[in-house]
Amino acid sequence: MSRRALRRLRGEQRGQEPLGPDALRFDLLEDDDADDEGPKPGLGGRRPGAAGKEGVRVNNRFELINMEDLEDGLVVNGERSDATLPDSVSSGNKGRAQRGNPETKQDGDVANAGFPEQSNASGKLRKKKKKQKNKKSCPGESSENGLEDIDRILERIEDSSGFSHPGPPPLSSRKHILYVEHRHLNPDTELKRYFGARAVLGEQRPRQRQRVYPKCAWLTTPKSTWPRYSKPGLSMRLLESKKGLSFFAFEHSEEYQQAQHKFLVAVESMEPNNIVVLLQTNPYHVDSLLQLSDACRFQEDQEMARDLIERALYSMECAFHPLFSLTSGTCRLDYRRPENRSFYLALYKQMSFLEKRGCPRTALEYCKLILSLEPDEDPLCMLLLIDHLALRARNYEYLIRLFQEWEAHRNLSQLPNFAFSVPLAYFLLSQQTDLPEHELTSARQQASLLIQQALTMFPGVLMPLLECCSVRPDATVSNHHFFGPDAEISQPPALSQLVSLYLGRSHFLWKEPATMSWLEENVREVLQAVDAGDPAVEACENRRKVLYQRAPRNIHRHVILSEIKEAVAALPSDVTTQSVMGFDPLPPLDTIYSYVRPERLSPVSHGNTIALFFRSLLPNYTTEGERLEEGVARGPNRNQGLNRLMLAVRDMMANFHFNDLEQL
C-alpha cells in the first residue's frame, strides 16, 4: 500500500507527520492542582500527564501560532483556567470543572496528536470549544461574585444608616406617562415573544456590508426593495423651547414645494396613475405615499399599502432634527401646520396596520407617541383608542395609571370608552393569580364601584353591548325603563357617536363568561339604586344633556380614520357632505400656512362660461390645451370618448349666440 493511501486511511494530512521526539520541545510548568489529580488515561494506554511533565511535543509547527493566544485568553482575575480533559476520557470525569495552567490543556491534546490514528484538525476544534467554554464560565462566575459583593455592601450601608425603602418607588422616579420605549416600536420584538426568533426571522439574510441607506431607523426597517434614498427636500427645525418643552416643525424646500403642487394636481385629477408617475421622480414624497397607500388598501393589497406607509415614515425620520426625541414625551408638533400632519397620519396608519397584524403592544407604543406630540389638543383624539390598545396588550397597570393621573384635569370618566375600560382593567387585574390577596380584593371592589358609576352615567351602552356579544338579557333588565330602548334613543347624537365607536371597536373584550357574570351582578346593583331613587341617577341625566351637545372636530377626524361603520354612520350631515382626502382629513379651521399654492391658470378659467359649466358637471373634464401642471404626465384616460364629445359640444357652443336662443 502506498504512503498516500496509508495517510488517507489514518485521516492524516500531508505535512503532519511526527517530527521526532526532540524536534520541538517546550518545558511548561504545571499547577499544584493538576499534580494532585493524578494521571488520566488517554488513547492507547498513554497518559497525558506524563507528556506534560516532560514538555509539550508539537507535531505541527504551525500550532505555535495560536499558543500565545491560548495563554493570554484564559487568564481571568489573575488565575489561569485549568485544562479540560480530552474528549476520549471516561464519562465520569467529564462533568468536573478543573483548574490549572493552559499549558496542561494543550498538553493533553498534543499528546493525543502524537498518535497517527487522530488528526490534528479535530484537536484544534476541541481546543477552540474548550477555550470558549472557559471564557464563558469564568466571567460569569466573577460577575456573580461581584454582584454579591455589591449587595452585601449596600446591605451594610442600609444597616448602618438605618434607612430602608420598602414598597413601590416614589412618583419622582417613575417614567413619564407618555414615555415611549424604543424596543417596543419594533413589531419583531413582540412577534418574537409570541412565536420565537426563528419563526419571525426565518431565512432572513444578514445585512450586506455596503449599506444602501444612510442610517438605521427606530420606526421602520429599511428594505432593499425600496428606491435608493436621497434627501427629498424635507427637513425639521426647532421653533422654540419653553417650560421644558421643545416645539418643532417640518419644512419643505422649494423643490419639495414643487412636488407638493404636482401632487395636489394629481389628486384633483382623480387618477391614481398620476400619483404613481409622480413617485417615479420623487420616490420619497410623503403625501403621495400616503394617498397611494389608501388606494392599495381599497384594492385589498395590504402588503403594498403597509410598505408605502413604512417608506413614508422612513423619509420623515431621516429629516428629524438632532434634538427631536421620540421617547422623551417633551417634543411637540403643531397639527395646524400642514407639513406636520403627514407625520401624524403616517404614524396612525402604521399603528392600524400593527393592530391588525396582531401586535397590540407595539400599536400601544405608537399611540402613546402620537398622543405625546400634542397631548393638550389631541388632534387625532387618541384618547378614544389608547384604552382599547392597553386592554388588548394586557397592560392593565398602564391604563389604570393613565386614568389616575389624567382624570383630574382631563375628565376621562366622561368618555364612554374610559368609563367602561378602566373598571374592566381592574376586574381583569383581579383575575390574576400572581398578586397578593389584599390587592386582588381591592381591585375587585374598585372595579365594581367604577362599573356601577359607568352604567349610571351611560345607560344606553348596556343593551347594544349585550347585543354585540350575542347575549340575551334578563327580562327584568330589558323591560326596565332605565336600560330599555328609551335609554338609547334619548341620548344626544354626539354621545351616540362615541358609544357606537366604543362598541364597534371593543365589544369583543366583554365576551368572557367571567366578565359577563361580573357585569350582571353590577347591573342588578344599579337597578336597585335606580328603584330606590338615588339622586346620582338624576344628576347623571342632567350632565348628559349638557355635556354632549356637539362633538368637536378632532372626534369627527378620528371617526373618519377609524373607518368603523357604525360610528361613520352616526356622523352629522355637515361632515359627511365635505370632501375628505386621505392625506389630510378634515383639516383644522385655523391652519397655519407656511407657503401658498399658486393659482392654477388654464383656458377654462378665462371667461368661457360653457366650459365652466361642463367643468362643474364633470370634474375630470379638460380642454385640449389644458394639461397637468409642472410636468405631471397624464395617465391613461378612461374617459377619452367623453372628452372628445365635450370638445365637440364646446366648439359648437362657442359659435352659438344667445340672440339665436331668443329668436327660437
Side-chain angles (χ1 to χ4, degrees):
M1 184 181 294
S2 63
R3 187 172 298 177
R4 174 187 289 181
L6 184 60
R7 281 199 305 267
R8 289 184 178 179
L9 184 60
R10 293 175 177 175
E12 297 178 355
Q13 297 180 3
R14 189 172 182 179
Q16 295 184 354
E17 295 83 359
L19 299 178
D22 298 327
L24 292 172
R25 183 185 297 268
F26 295 89
D27 294 331
L28 303 175
L29 297 178
E30 288 184 340
D31 250 351
D32 297 335
D33 297 338
D35 295 333
D36 296 339
E37 288 178 0
K40 301 292 187 299
L43 288 175
R46 295 284 300 274
R47 297 180 182 273
K53 294 178 180 178
E54 297 175 1
V56 176
R57 292 184 179 181
V58 181
N59 296 329
N60 189 353
R61 64 190 67 186
F62 295 101
E63 291 183 1
L64 295 174
I65 298 176
N66 298 325
M67 187 166 292
E68 294 181 0
D69 298 335
L70 289 173
E71 293 179 0
D72 297 337
L74 299 177
V75 179
V76 179
N77 296 331
E79 296 182 3
R80 293 181 180 270
S81 61
D82 277 333
T84 58
L85 293 177
D87 295 338
S88 58
V89 299
S90 60
S91 59
N93 295 329
K94 286 184 179 179
R96 294 190 299 171
Q98 304 176 6
R99 293 194 172 272
N101 286 333
E103 289 80 0
T104 60
K105 174 181 178 179
Q106 287 185 357
D107 193 29
D109 291 337
V110 175
N112 289 333
F115 297 102
E117 292 84 6
Q118 185 178 8
S119 63
N120 288 330
S122 60
K124 291 182 179 180
L125 292 175
R126 285 198 300 273
K127 283 188 284 186
K128 290 181 180 179
K129 291 180 180 179
K130 294 168 187 175
K131 176 182 176 182
Q132 293 175 358
K133 290 181 181 178
N134 291 331
K135 284 187 176 181
K136 290 180 180 179
S137 61
C138 296
E141 294 175 358
S142 61
S143 61
E144 290 178 359
N145 297 333
L147 292 176
E148 292 177 358
D149 295 340
I150 293 175
D151 293 337
R152 292 174 183 174
I153 294 172
L154 293 176
E155 290 177 359
R156 292 174 184 174
I157 294 175
E158 290 181 358
D159 295 339
S160 61
S161 60
F163 293 106
S164 61
H165 303 281
L171 291 177
S172 58
S173 64
R174 299 171 68 179
K175 296 179 181 179
H176 191 270
I177 191 64
L178 297 179
Y179 177 80
V180 178
E181 298 185 25
H182 274 147
R183 62 189 182 94
H184 288 308
L185 291 174
N186 188 0
D188 291 342
T189 304
E190 187 172 3
L191 293 175
K192 288 177 185 177
R193 189 168 69 250
Y194 295 152
F195 308 107
R198 181 173 299 179
V200 174
L201 298 178
E203 297 180 356
Q204 292 183 3
R205 298 179 179 177
R207 294 182 179 179
Q208 300 177 357
R209 294 182 179 178
Q210 296 180 354
R211 294 185 55 84
V212 180
Y213 302 96
K215 64 177 182 178
C216 296
W218 290 110
L219 298 175
T220 57
T221 302
K223 299 179 181 178
S224 58
T225 56
W226 291 356
R228 185 178 182 86
Y229 178 80
S230 59
K231 292 185 178 180
L234 188 65
S235 60
M236 178 185 284
R237 68 185 178 96
L238 176 63
L239 299 179
E240 60 177 346
S241 297
K242 60 180 181 180
K243 297 181 180 180
L245 302 177
S246 301
F247 296 86
F248 296 87
F250 283 97
E251 285 187 332
H252 295 171
S253 63
E254 294 184 1
E255 181 182 358
Y256 197 93
Q257 293 179 18
Q258 297 297 328
Q260 189 72 12
H261 299 331
K262 296 178 185 179
F263 165 73
L264 296 177
V265 174
V267 170
E268 292 176 357
S269 69
M270 305 297 291
E271 184 61 48
N273 290 330
N274 292 336
I275 302 179
V276 175
V277 173
L278 178 60
L279 283 176
Q280 291 177 356
T281 56
N282 300 274
Y284 287 93
H285 184 259
V286 177
D287 286 344
S288 299
L289 293 170
L290 296 179
Q291 190 71 19
L292 190 59
S293 174
D294 288 342
C296 294
R297 187 164 50 86
F298 293 149
Q299 296 177 2
E300 303 297 331
D301 191 355
Q302 301 293 335
E303 189 66 26
M304 178 58 69
R306 187 178 64 185
D307 186 79
L308 293 173
I309 294 297
E310 291 179 355
R311 200 200 302 182
L313 283 174
Y314 181 75
S315 176
M316 304 198 78
E317 188 172 359
C318 290
F320 280 174
H321 192 274
L323 299 179
F324 185 80
S325 174
L326 294 172
T327 61
S328 63
T330 59
C331 296
R332 300 289 184 263
L333 286 176
D334 194 349
Y335 192 80
R336 294 176 299 173
R337 297 180 179 272
E339 298 86 352
N340 296 340
R341 296 174 198 164
S342 302
F343 188 56
Y344 279 90
L345 297 174
L347 289 174
Y348 185 93
K349 294 180 180 181
Q350 176 71 353
M351 177 194 64
S352 301
F353 282 123
L354 291 171
E355 183 186 3
K356 295 176 182 178
R357 193 181 175 187
C359 301
R361 183 65 183 87
T362 311
L364 174 62
E365 215 67 19
Y366 273 83
C367 184
K368 290 160 56 178
L369 174 58
I370 299 173
L371 185 58
S372 68
L373 295 177
E374 199 170 359
D376 296 332
E377 299 297 331
D378 194 10
L380 299 187
C381 211
M382 303 309 296
L383 287 177
L384 298 178
L385 177 62
I386 192 170
D387 61 299
H388 170 75
L389 295 175
L391 289 175
R392 284 201 60 190
R394 300 181 181 180
N395 199 347
Y396 310 129
E397 294 84 357
Y398 175 79
L399 177 58
I400 293 172
R401 181 191 169 195
L402 176 64
F403 179 77
Q404 292 174 349
E405 294 187 10
W406 283 25
E407 168 63 17
H409 64 283
R410 299 296 293 268
N411 293 325
L412 297 181
S413 59
Q414 305 305 312
L415 295 174
N417 58 311
F418 267 92
F420 283 86
S421 294
V422 173
L424 181 59
Y426 272 110
F427 174 75
L428 296 176
L429 192 63
S430 67
Q431 300 298 306
Q432 298 181 358
T433 58
D434 55 346
L435 295 178
E437 185 65 26
H438 67 279
E439 292 186 8
L440 297 179
T441 305
S442 176
R444 182 66 178 262
Q445 294 176 355
Q446 188 70 12
S448 300
L449 176 63
L450 292 177
I451 193 61
Q452 292 176 17
Q453 295 177 0
L455 291 171
T456 305
M457 184 65 189
F458 306 105
V461 177
L462 179 63
M463 299 306 294
L465 176 61
L466 296 179
E467 184 180 357
C468 292
C469 297
S470 302
V471 175
R472 185 176 181 178
D474 192 358
T476 57
V477 177
S478 58
N479 296 331
H480 200 281
H481 67 90
F482 189 73
F483 289 120
D486 294 339
E488 185 178 358
I489 297 174
S490 61
Q491 60 187 5
L495 181 57
S496 300
Q497 183 177 343
L498 293 176
V499 171
S500 301
L501 184 66
Y502 173 69
L503 294 179
R505 176 178 284 155
S506 304
H507 69 274
F508 64 92
L509 298 174
W510 295 82
K511 287 187 175 182
E512 294 295 330
T515 305
M516 276 296 168
S517 300
W518 165 72
L519 179 62
E520 182 182 1
E521 296 174 2
N522 291 278
V523 167
R524 297 186 183 279
E525 294 290 335
V526 172
L527 287 180
Q528 293 178 4
V530 172
D531 295 336
D534 192 348
V537 177
E538 184 178 358
C540 291
E541 183 178 358
N542 296 331
R543 202 182 308 163
R544 286 196 302 270
K545 295 178 180 179
V546 174
L547 294 179
Y548 305 99
Q549 295 295 328
R550 179 177 175 81
R553 195 174 181 84
N554 60 341
I555 293 182
H556 295 160
R557 190 181 299 120
H558 178 87
V559 171
I560 293 174
L561 290 174
S562 67
E563 298 180 356
I564 297 176
K565 296 180 181 179
E566 297 82 1
V568 173
L571 286 173
S573 58
D574 58 339
V575 176
T576 56
T577 54
Q578 297 182 18
S579 60
V580 179
M581 296 296 179
F583 67 94
D584 191 8
L586 294 182
L589 301 178
D590 54 347
T591 300
I592 301 176
Y593 293 102
S594 58
Y595 62 93
V596 182
R597 178 187 177 189
E599 295 184 2
R600 183 181 179 185
L601 300 178
S602 64
V604 179
S605 60
H606 292 289
N608 196 334
T609 307
I610 303 300
L612 289 176
F613 171 71
F614 284 113
R615 183 81 174 186
S616 63
L617 293 179
L618 300 172
N620 290 338
Y621 167 71
T622 54
T623 58
E624 184 178 1
E626 185 179 5
R627 292 293 181 267
L628 293 175
E629 294 179 354
E630 305 295 340
V632 175
R634 181 178 295 276
N637 193 353
R638 292 175 292 182
N639 300 323
Q640 291 182 357
L642 185 61
N643 285 340
R644 292 175 183 174
L645 177 61
M646 293 300 103
L647 288 175
V649 173
R650 185 203 64 177
D651 295 336
M652 180 184 68
M653 297 301 293
N655 299 325
F656 183 84
H657 299 283
F658 289 97
N659 296 330
D660 298 337
L661 181 61
E662 294 177 356
Q663 295 177 1
L664 294 176

